[in-house]
Amino acid sequence: MSWEPGIVVFCCNASCCAGESHASGVSFPSPPTVRIVRVPCASLVSEYMIMSALRSGADGILVVGGAAGDCQSARGQEGDRRRFVLLGNLLEFIGIEPGRVHIAWESAWTGEQVMGLVQDLIEKVKALGPARRLVKQLEPLQGEE
Amino acid sequence: MATINDKITDAIRAQARKLLETGEVAALIGYAAGSLPMTVKPLVVRRPEECDRLVWNTFCVLNLATYLPEVLSSVEIPRDLRDPKPEEPQAKVAILATGCWSRNIVVQIQEKRVARERVVVVGVGSRGMVSRAKVKALFPGQEILTVEEGDHDLVVQGLDFTETINRWSVVRDNCQTCAHPDPVLVDIRIGEPVSERKNPHPYKQVELIEQRSVDERWAWFTAEFATCIRCYACRNVCPLCYCPTCFVDDAKPQWLGKSLDAVDTGLFHILRAHHCAGRCTDCGACESVCPMGINMRMLTKKLNKDVLELFGIEAGMEPEAPLQLTMYPSASPEFIVTDLAPVPVPSRKPFESAGIPSAEGDTSCKP
Amino acid sequence: MQTVMISPAELDALIEKWQTYYAVYVPALAKPAAATTDWAPGWRRFVEGEPLILPVGPTPASVKTFYFPQPETLLSFSLEENHPDKGAMREPVKSQGMQVVLGVRPCDAASVLLNQLPFIEDPLYMANCQRTALVGFTCTSRLSTCFCTEMGGSPLHSAGLDLALSSLEDGFILEVLSEKGEILVAGCNLVPASASDMAGLTARRQGAAPGDSVQLQLLRSCALNRLYEAPMWQALGEACINCGACTFICPTCFCFDIQDEVVQGQGRRIRYWDSCMFPLYSQHTSGHNPRGKKLQRTRNRFLHKLKYFPDRFGPFSCVGCGRCIGDCPVNIDIREVLSDLVRCTELE
Ligand code: SF4
Ligand code: SF4
Ligand code: SF4
Ligand code: SF4
Ligand code: SF4
């Protein structure tokens, strides 16, 4: 069985509704290993959620938010942008492969654009292989493995 | 002959006594002598006669700002939650502060943890604090029984040896790369001001790690944090960590496990550091207190570097400034689109906007 | 049980032999590579042929991690449909293999016996006791922070050890003190210790063992309330930052918590270290916290060791290893706490 990377996409209602409806339509990889987490505003995506996704074994993570001055909650991205840039850099610093966590801002997203990002991420992650770092594993029980 | 720090100790005692006797402050946060060589105890003095217990030496590695909010509330007139706020001004608290501690006090003011008008900052220029771990590492397998402090030397004595070592060589890494040893916020000054230092490579250690390959960085990270016992001393000693419930204690959702699992320990450190982004002043308290000798400060230092390079900010320089991490100045598109590594607009000069003088600083306190 | 002589070379050969059958741990003096800690920070697997270097005074990490591992899996379960463990809790099969901990000091050995008092009915702790053999060295020199003698111990005690080594000029006196100890030395041709050497050891022991001091007796007989209300807690609680450093490095601190961890449908119920210094430790589900203030938590740690535990079980729950004195970030010194408490029993 060939390995399909598990991707978690956090995207805000306004910018990415289009993306999602598109997703449920045609061009999604099968089996559907892409999970879309819709949030009212990308600034609600916390560093905990990103780290939780990594910890639970997501192979790739994408956060999609609206660009400055173009946010449906007026100033939503102001709260997240700097934080995410720093988090992304920090993750690379401690040795998470560049490309696993991808954060994107754009003014009006179209469905195609979001799908394009997802596809790009899938390609990148396929090249990197399954996530191993910061993925929580239970201690094997005696007699297992 | 009295050393610089002896003179500072005397001045601190005299000043503390004056402040308490005149009733200007209700308490002063400082240090008392510790029970072991190279240790000090944080001490809150409330009566003039206690002031002679205060000391100042080269081992004051904690950050007193950590205690400030609590001591402030301890001197308030007790009131019920529903009672109205008292009209009259509340009692003040004085606190000793070096460069980084004063910057943490500034952050506390910015974050509305403490009210500026209730704090009397007794500023002491820092000559760099000595790392107990570094001194111990020089004498492996031998117990250090006393350490005498001179202005530029330490005389270390054990059971069967006496050695003199250069003080600056065992000063903590964060102090050696510190650019602002002098308090940025001073109400009362003790001793001489210490001039700004200009270090050509303040982020050398971070850069050395950055230059490694991603696998080497991961190997460094896992090895560095392998022995963490999750005692949270690094979190509790930090003046920035004051959440009533820290994320590690959250139960539903539980963001990370609580045992010594390497992944959970790693996540704790990443997230803790991330919470200090744009606020950390590199005071080094976290690194100094770790019983396992873990250098978790590298993570906050990396964030400090990014914050300075990308946003042109150093934490805690101006009480009036807004909190930089909560804003995205949309008028000035620092980085316009889509990728993880943002592109700073080249015309910005981060150093100017952070108010750092670009003239060569004085390095005279290095021997 | 026998008392024999062993030369350094024989000891090395013995350790090498243990390694073929058991997991042998020694104190890690430098930072170990991530892979070798085996969930026991501060300890590492002994590598054949290397010299065994012991620090003066207690080992950097205490032995409690072998008895009270962090974490310990209590039960396993599954949330997956069609899994045989769905809806059932299964006790994991625990390793029965003996582990040998080398380089233990008398204070740590005493701590194992102390912790058995509250854990006597805990099958997991007792099972770990069964499978762990302590090979200790009595102390010839002490650190300035060692105060085992004040807590009723002695640098020369052997209680709690399976094998105790006391150095002589040209080797060691090896005391075999338990069945596990017998197993460890089985098949070795060792010369019984001479009567004069044994008499020498006994004499040294008698010279060094004061037993419970007068001070501790004062604490025992003092009413709890008096100690509880002592004014000294104010300053202590104010300085303490309520980290868990002192409790985690302490051999006799044993607070724990139990949680379920679920990863991809599979779950474990684990027990891991907790600390009375953490607010969450005493927090009730209602939100009320009987030890909601820093002062109360600091007080609890010391009164537990110096009053509650002796009132309930007899001995004091501190072996005087001095680890917490050296590692407390704010230099809270249990010896000072002790003498302050004694002073307040004397005040009228
Ligand atoms: S680590 Fe984060 S959540 Fe925890 S106390 Fe510090 S700032 Fe708060
Ligand atoms: S994170 Fe560490 S260096 Fe930064 S302010 Fe907190 S204690 Fe100081
Ligand atoms: S102080 Fe050290 S051992 Fe304690 S939690 Fe922090 S890094 Fe871990
Ligand atoms: S006594 Fe010291 S080590 Fe223990 S919790 Fe308080 S500050 Fe931490
Ligand atoms: S309380 Fe301190 S001295 Fe006593 S056993 Fe624990 S760590 Fe050792």
Side-chain angles (χ1 to χ4, degrees):
Chain A
M1 202 180 75
S2 78
W3 165 72
E4 282 294 334
I7 306 284
V8 177
V9 183
F10 295 98
C11 72
C12 84
N13 257 339
S15 15
C16 315
C17 269
E20 199 195 20
S21 55
H22 192 95
S24 49
V26 265
S27 61
F28 240 65
S30 162
T33 53
V34 177
R35 295 212 189 149
I36 298 197
V37 182
R38 259 171 70 167
V39 286
C41 170
S43 66
L44 282 180
V45 180
S46 64
E47 59 277 26
Y48 309 127
M49 297 183 187
I50 297 179
M51 301 312 283
S52 273
L54 271 178
R55 181 176 183 263
S56 328
D59 299 304
I61 293 166
L62 177 65
V63 184
V64 192
D70 206 34
C71 173
Q72 56 145 8
S73 339
R75 302 177 47 188
Q77 21 62 24
E78 294 181 9
D80 67 3
R81 195 169 258 217
R82 289 186 160 178
R83 277 191 297 134
F84 285 163
V85 168
L86 294 174
L87 182 66
N89 286 358
L90 183 62
L91 288 178
E92 285 188 22
F93 181 71
I94 62 119
I96 298 297
E97 304 91 336
R100 268 207 207 285
V101 182
H102 187 93
I103 295 157
W105 292 284
E106 180 66 273
S107 32
W109 288 103
T110 66
E112 279 74 21
Q113 279 176 319
V114 176
M115 285 322 302
L117 282 177
V118 174
Q119 282 305 341
D120 281 356
L121 187 63
I122 289 177
E123 290 315 310
K124 258 197 212 159
V125 169
K126 272 190 175 162
L128 290 172
R132 300 243 182 276
R133 297 174 182 173
L134 292 183
V135 180
K136 167 90 176 180
Q137 242 122 32
L138 292 176
E139 224 189 330
L141 296 171
Q142 279 278 318
E144 273 183 10
E145 261 102 353
Chain B
M1 201 194 77
T3 62
I4 299 177
N5 282 345
D6 290 342
K7 288 182 203 146
I8 294 180
T9 300
D10 289 341
I12 288 174
R13 288 179 184 171
Q15 192 56 254
R17 197 170 299 116
K18 196 171 122 205
L19 285 170
L20 289 169
E21 270 168 1
T22 56
E24 196 182 336
V25 301
L28 178 136
I29 312 175
Y31 282 111
S35 69
L36 299 179
M38 300 185 280
T39 59
V40 285
K41 287 183 206 292
L43 174 73
V44 183
V45 286
R46 295 193 161 83
R47 281 171 300 152
E49 57 273 25
E50 294 169 334
C51 290
D52 283 340
R53 291 183 58 201
L54 290 167
V55 298
W56 185 261
N57 61 31
T58 191
F59 306 108
C60 301
V61 292
L62 294 184
N63 188 331
L64 291 178
T66 311
Y67 295 96
L68 184 55
E70 208 183 310
V71 176
L72 276 171
S73 67
S74 80
V75 299
E76 280 165 17
I77 302 154
R79 63 184 166 103
D80 203 66
L81 271 181
R82 286 186 206 85
D83 290 351
K85 270 201 167 163
E87 301 275 310
E88 67 277 14
Q90 301 262 22
K92 291 184 186 182
V93 168
I95 179 170
L96 302 185
T98 63
C100 50
W101 312 347
S102 75
R103 287 168 60 201
N104 279 109
I105 298 170
V106 168
V107 174
Q108 289 174 327
I109 293 168
Q110 286 177 307
E111 292 177 1
K112 312 231 177 335
R113 277 281 281 170
V114 306
R116 174 69 187 94
E117 62 278 6
R118 290 190 58 202
V119 186
V120 177
V121 181
V122 182
V124 189
S126 168
R127 298 172 63 241
M129 299 296 172
V130 163
S131 152
R132 198 167 145 218
K134 276 193 186 180
V135 178
K136 278 189 178 171
L138 292 177
F139 304 95
Q142 286 167 299
E143 195 189 10
I144 294 170
L145 294 176
T146 58
V147 177
E148 282 299 325
E149 181 193 344
D151 280 344
H152 300 289
D153 300 310
L154 300 178
V155 182
V156 184
Q157 214 167 23
L159 214 50
D160 46 9
F161 67 94
T162 306
E163 251 183 78
T164 306
I165 54 176
N166 176 286
R167 195 190 76 94
W168 187 259
S169 70
V170 285
V171 161
R172 297 184 298 170
D173 292 340
N174 63 306
C175 295
Q176 289 190 345
T177 58
C178 170
H180 312 287
D182 208 50
V184 299
L185 192 69
V186 190
D187 297 317
I188 297 167
R189 179 173 280 286
I190 303 277
E192 294 300 307
V194 179
S195 48
E196 300 258 307
R197 282 187 217 131
K198 185 98 179 160
N199 189 314
H201 303 293
Y203 296 106
K204 185 110 190 272
Q205 280 176 297
V206 173
E207 278 154 15
L208 284 178
I209 298 171
E210 281 174 337
Q211 282 154 10
R212 300 184 197 166
S213 75
V214 65
D215 292 335
E216 285 167 351
R217 292 200 301 264
W218 177 249
W220 161 76
F221 179 73
T222 41
E224 184 69 44
F225 293 92
T227 52
C228 171
I229 52 173
R230 300 279 290 270
C231 70
Y232 302 136
C234 50
R235 173 195 71 182
N236 288 16
V237 79
C238 175
L240 307 174
C241 275
Y242 52 73
C243 302
T245 306
C246 175
F247 72 95
V248 290
D249 293 336
D250 274 345
K252 212 164 174 89
Q254 188 180 45
W255 302 110
L256 44 94
K258 312 260 274 176
S259 70
L260 288 194
D261 185 274
V263 168
D264 293 323
T265 308
L267 288 180
F268 157 61
H269 282 287
I270 295 167
L271 288 168
R272 184 198 78 89
H274 189 245
H275 286 181
C276 300
R279 314 159 65 216
C280 168
T281 61
D282 206 27
C283 74
C286 47
E287 187 186 2
S288 302
V289 300
C290 176
M292 307 305 282
I294 290 165
N295 189 355
M296 78 301 288
R297 195 176 55 84
M298 268 313 99
L299 303 181
T300 42
K301 185 95 180 170
K302 158 72 180 163
L303 287 162
N304 291 354
K305 174 173 182 273
D306 282 1
V307 167
L308 180 63
E309 284 177 359
L310 299 173
F311 317 138
I313 306 157
E314 281 191 297
M317 298 303 286
E318 254 182 86
E320 308 301 326
L323 285 167
Q324 293 290 336
L325 222 65
T326 59
M327 47 183 275
Y328 174 66
S330 30
S332 64
E334 280 165 312
F335 30 90
I336 305 158
V337 256
T338 60
D339 219 342
L340 200 61
V343 193
V345 175
S347 68
R348 267 178 79 94
K349 287 195 196 123
F351 279 92
E352 272 175 21
S353 61
I356 305 165
S358 45
E360 274 296 308
D362 196 328
T363 48
S364 58
C365 59
K366 282 194 204 180
Chain C
M1 307 286 151
Q2 44 177 338
T3 304
V4 294
M5 295 295 297
I6 189 166
S7 70
E10 284 169 324
L11 183 60
D12 285 343
L14 195 58
I15 295 172
E16 213 161 285
K17 198 177 106 194
W18 293 339
Q19 274 189 302
T20 47
Y21 303 106
Y22 318 119
V24 181
Y25 293 91
V26 290
L29 298 185
K31 210 172 237 216
T36 58
T37 57
D38 284 7
W39 303 86
W43 296 87
R44 63 185 174 82
R45 289 280 194 120
F46 189 63
V47 183
E48 222 167 297
E50 69 179 332
L52 173 64
I53 300 168
L54 280 189
V56 177
T59 51
S62 83
V63 292
K64 83 171 167 191
T65 142
F66 295 101
Y67 296 85
F68 181 36
Q70 147 94 308
E72 167 119 64
T73 306
L74 307 180
L75 296 164
S76 70
F77 56 92
S78 173
L79 302 182
E80 265 171 36
E81 297 297 335
N82 308 326
H83 194 281
D85 282 355
K86 166 85 182 168
M89 294 273 203
R90 192 154 57 97
E91 264 187 58
V93 188
K94 295 277 175 182
S95 164
Q96 304 290 328
M98 178 130 81
Q99 51 188 9
V100 180
V101 186
L102 197 59
V104 180
R105 292 295 184 190
C107 48
D108 271 24
S111 78
V112 176
L113 297 180
L114 278 181
N115 283 359
Q116 276 177 3
L117 296 171
F119 275 104
I120 191 80
E121 284 172 45
D122 182 287
L124 296 162
Y125 188 91
M126 294 315 281
N128 287 331
C129 286
Q130 280 297 317
R131 63 182 280 253
T132 309
L134 296 184
V135 181
F137 291 80
T138 56
C139 301
T140 44
S141 51
R142 313 171 58 182
L143 293 179
S144 62
T145 47
C146 290
F147 65 111
C148 50
T149 45
E150 277 105 289
M151 298 311 296
S154 151
L156 298 170
H157 270 185
S158 60
L161 292 171
D162 296 293
L163 292 179
L165 291 139
S166 309
S167 53
L168 295 175
E169 258 157 44
D170 51 351
F172 299 94
I173 293 190
L174 171 68
E175 293 166 277
V176 184
L177 298 157
S178 70
E179 276 166 32
K180 269 175 284 173
E182 298 275 6
I183 298 172
L184 286 179
V185 294
C188 295
N189 245 336
L190 294 170
V191 199
S194 70
S196 65
D197 282 338
M198 280 168 73
L201 184 63
T202 321
R204 270 200 285 160
R205 280 204 175 129
Q206 271 161 358
D212 261 22
S213 67
V214 188
Q215 295 202 333
L216 295 189
Q217 289 309 334
L218 277 174
L219 277 191
R220 264 187 224 281
S221 50
C222 183
L224 168 63
N225 251 354
R226 181 148 194 197
L227 304 176
Y228 194 82
E229 308 289 353
M232 54 176 280
W233 300 118
Q234 168 66 28
L236 216 56
E238 199 151 44
C240 173
I241 58 169
N242 269 191
C243 62
C246 53
T247 55
F248 286 177
I249 56 173
C250 173
T252 59
C253 274
F254 50 73
C255 295
F256 62 83
D257 193 4
I258 294 176
Q259 283 208 348
D260 289 351
E261 280 193 347
V262 179
V263 174
Q264 308 203 338
Q266 303 302 317
R268 300 272 190 280
R269 176 157 296 175
I270 57 162
R271 169 162 84 183
Y272 61 93
W273 297 358
D274 204 343
S275 167
C276 60
M277 289 292 188
F278 297 158
L280 211 64
Y281 178 75
S282 47
Q283 177 106 4
H284 293 182
T285 325
S286 64
H288 171 66
N289 194 339
R291 287 202 289 267
K293 295 205 187 88
K294 229 167 66 160
L295 178 154
Q296 297 168 322
R297 296 192 285 272
T298 313
R299 172 170 60 196
N300 180 72
R301 170 160 196 267
F302 292 106
L303 280 189
H304 176 245
K305 296 204 166 302
L306 304 174
K307 188 66 187 166
Y308 311 148
F309 193 94
D311 279 358
R312 169 123 189 239
F313 294 108
F316 287 81
S317 172
C318 167
V319 293
C321 70
R323 285 189 182 90
C324 58
I325 306 172
D327 277 344
C328 172
V330 301
N331 187 238
I332 288 178
D333 188 330
I334 188 168
R335 295 170 301 180
E336 291 174 2
V337 177
L338 193 64
S339 54
D340 285 353
L341 276 178
V342 169
R343 199 165 314 129
C344 97
T345 64
E346 287 161 347
L347 287 179
E348 246 337 298

